[in-house]
Amino acid sequence: MRFDFFRRAAAEETPAAEAAQGLAMPRNAEGFVAYTLLLDPHKRVAGYKLAWRAAARPEEAPDAISQFKSLVACVTEHLNPPDTPWRLGRSELFFDVNAELLALGALQSLPPEYTVLCVELGDLANEELRPILHFLHEQGFSFMLCRAKALPEDPELLGLVSHFDVGAGDPLLVAAARGKELPDHMPIQPIATRMASWKDFEACAARRVDVFADASCGLPPPAASTGSHALQPESVLIMRLLQMIQRNEDLREIEAALKRDAALTYRLLRHMNSPAVGAGVEIHSLHHAVTMLGYSPLFRWLSLLLATSNPMGSPPFMMKKAIMRGRFVELMGEIMLPRGESDNLFVVGMFSLIDQLLGIPMQEVLNKVQLSDSVQQAILTRGGVYGPFLSLAEACELDTGEAARLAEALLLSASQVNAAHLSALAWSQDVIPAEAA
């Protein structure tokens, strides 16, 4: 009986039913999408946790249900439009839900196989919610258990859990997830949800090395810091090429320098011909690329390669974050700035994290690659014409609550910012597989 009740409740909440009652999904609940990169134990991006931050002041903000519906509507519009493949490939989206949100028909517009619902143990164990949990699980939705000290002992509840929130990489929580005896067909993935940088995880691991020394945990030992800031040979070459482009040196000299590294040449040409670039014509050589598209796109592509040129020092999630930020800043700038500024904005976003990617101080990077004054000003002080766009991107990433104010100062609407944000998320899916291979 309860199962039928929840099935009917979900059906009554569908967008069609809401529209028929004059209660269409509330796009007027204006707000901004905030995201968190979720990591697996191998420092890879397991997915993205999305949240909705109302543009209005807290006392004037819509209720939680309206905000959640607005978030789902925004995600559906930009990542899962009708008759279009899921734009995030195999990546999953994670959403915090409670008892009220679990019964919403709005969930039905999300692709179940790529949607993970984050629940607390109290809701997971709630007998009244059990039928709807099973209903959603049968549809293909996954569940992550959050803010729990251990996995549930109840086999029925355990069968619903596919992901386990281990916070900032707490070794005891990771061990609890990895050490649970589970059938092969129902593994549970530890997910780090509150990590500003991998240093948090390594510090945690250092306190309990025995937990991570066990190969069955599937986790690498904490990396030892050498204190060295030596760049990889490929990074040095890319920086040299960037300098040559900025000095407008002869194309033949740039080609000659690039040809010293066949692997780099291959990666660059492969990226130029990737779906993310979409040049509309196959590029066969560096000369062909510059002849057709000019020096600025080449500088941008080399900046992308620089971000992925230090795999020993840069975990994949940092590369993903830098590429997403570069594209996000670029797309927002395209709305407001004159044509031709977008490549500078992409470089601003990318280079704002380049010190973390390469493992050397920012000033040392800027000494090697002489960026324009306006680009350096944005990176170092968030000032100048480009700085506010970078500040807005960071506000959305860090969920500081400043997004509404910063967007208003740039004359950008919340819908424009969200469209740029989710488009950047989708775009990065095409770039990372080609560049991080």
Side-chain angles (χ1 to χ4, degrees):
M1 290 295 292
R2 290 196 193 111
F3 180 80
D4 291 337
F5 168 78
F6 280 112
R7 185 189 293 273
R8 289 196 303 273
E12 290 169 1
E13 286 285 342
T14 61
E18 289 176 336
Q21 300 173 44
L23 299 172
M25 294 187 73
R27 292 175 182 271
N28 59 337
E30 187 174 80
F32 296 84
V33 175
Y35 85 91
T36 303
L37 289 175
L38 302 187
L39 309 179
D40 71 11
H42 301 285
K43 305 185 184 181
R44 296 176 304 216
V45 177
Y48 309 88
K49 191 173 186 180
L50 300 187
W52 187 262
R53 297 297 174 244
R57 291 178 295 182
E59 63 272 17
E60 300 173 352
D63 60 85
I65 290 178
S66 295
Q67 292 189 52
F68 184 74
K69 287 183 178 182
S70 294
L71 173 60
V72 171
C74 185
V75 169
T76 301
E77 178 182 358
H78 296 292
L79 299 180
N80 195 39
D83 304 318
T84 302
W86 176 238
R87 294 190 64 199
L88 294 187
R90 295 182 179 275
S91 294
E92 296 175 319
L93 290 184
F94 293 66
F95 300 90
D96 276 324
V97 294
N98 56 23
E100 286 185 309
L101 301 181
L102 281 167
L104 289 179
L107 289 173
Q108 303 303 311
S109 64
L110 296 170
E113 65 272 32
Y114 300 119
T115 302
V116 182
L117 305 176
C118 305
V119 297
E120 296 191 3
L121 184 58
D123 288 329
L124 188 70
N126 187 331
E127 290 288 344
E128 295 295 322
L129 285 178
R130 194 73 57 86
I132 192 63
L133 292 173
H134 281 291
F135 173 56
L136 292 169
H137 189 258
E138 289 170 5
Q139 286 188 305
F141 289 93
S142 299
F143 294 94
M144 178 164 76
L145 181 58
C146 300
R147 293 171 285 280
K149 295 182 179 180
L151 289 167
E153 295 296 333
D154 184 337
E156 183 182 1
L157 297 183
L158 195 59
L160 293 171
V161 177
S162 58
H163 303 71
F164 185 50
D165 179 358
V166 296
D170 186 332
L172 296 178
L173 294 179
V174 174
R178 290 295 191 183
K180 196 77 173 180
E181 292 186 8
L182 300 168
D184 292 338
H185 69 277
M186 49 179 288
I188 293 179
Q189 177 75 300
I191 299 293
T193 59
R194 297 187 295 280
M195 195 171 300
S197 73
W198 203 252
K199 291 180 182 178
D200 297 341
F201 186 93
E202 290 171 343
C204 195
R207 292 196 296 270
R208 282 293 305 274
V209 175
D210 58 305
V211 173
F212 299 96
D214 182 356
S216 66
C217 290
L219 293 162
S225 175
T226 62
S228 172
H229 296 311
L231 289 172
Q232 297 292 314
E234 186 177 282
S235 303
V236 174
L237 175 56
I238 294 173
M239 284 189 167
R240 182 186 171 199
L241 290 167
L242 290 170
Q243 290 176 319
M244 294 174 75
I245 292 171
Q246 287 189 304
R247 293 194 296 262
N248 291 318
E249 293 191 16
D250 189 276
L251 178 58
R252 289 170 296 183
E253 295 182 12
I254 298 175
E255 284 185 293
L258 183 60
K259 287 177 180 176
R260 295 177 184 175
D261 191 323
L264 179 57
T265 302
Y266 169 74
R267 290 179 67 207
L268 180 59
L269 291 176
R270 184 173 63 168
H271 174 62
M272 288 176 177
N273 291 305
S274 71
V277 175
V281 60
E282 186 171 359
I283 304 296
H284 298 286
S285 67
L286 177 60
H287 187 278
H288 186 198
V290 176
T291 300
M292 296 235 358
L293 303 169
Y295 278 77
S296 290
L298 180 59
F299 189 94
R300 165 204 175 101
W301 295 330
L302 285 169
S303 298
L304 259 176
L305 291 178
L306 183 62
T308 60
S309 65
N310 189 23
M312 297 302 293
S314 300
F317 79 92
M318 281 303 301
M319 300 179 197
K320 172 75 76 174
K321 184 175 182 178
I323 288 172
M324 282 180 57
R325 181 183 290 184
R327 182 61 169 167
F328 185 16
V329 172
E330 175 186 30
L331 289 173
M332 287 191 294
E334 285 181 350
I335 300 170
M336 302 301 299
L337 297 180
R339 188 173 182 179
E341 299 278 3
S342 59
D343 289 322
N344 281 340
L345 278 163
F346 183 83
V347 172
V348 165
M350 284 281 302
F351 270 76
S352 66
L353 290 167
I354 202 69
D355 54 337
Q356 298 180 53
L357 288 166
L358 299 182
I360 65 176
M362 179 65 78
Q363 194 58 57
E364 186 174 338
V365 178
L366 297 180
N367 289 341
K368 294 178 183 293
V369 182
Q370 298 297 320
L371 301 173
S372 68
D373 290 342
S374 56
V375 170
Q376 291 199 50
Q377 187 179 10
I379 293 171
L380 295 174
T381 68
R382 305 304 188 259
V385 66
Y386 303 137
F389 293 96
L390 178 56
S391 294
L392 177 52
E394 291 174 320
C396 292
E397 292 173 9
L398 301 174
D399 197 9
T400 61
E402 291 292 299
R405 179 184 64 81
L406 293 168
E408 183 179 2
L410 287 169
L411 303 179
L412 290 170
S413 68
S415 61
Q416 288 174 317
V417 174
N418 290 334
H421 198 168
L422 296 180
S423 293
L425 186 60
W427 185 83
S428 69
Q429 301 301 118
D430 291 326
V431 176
I432 281 288
E435 296 312 321

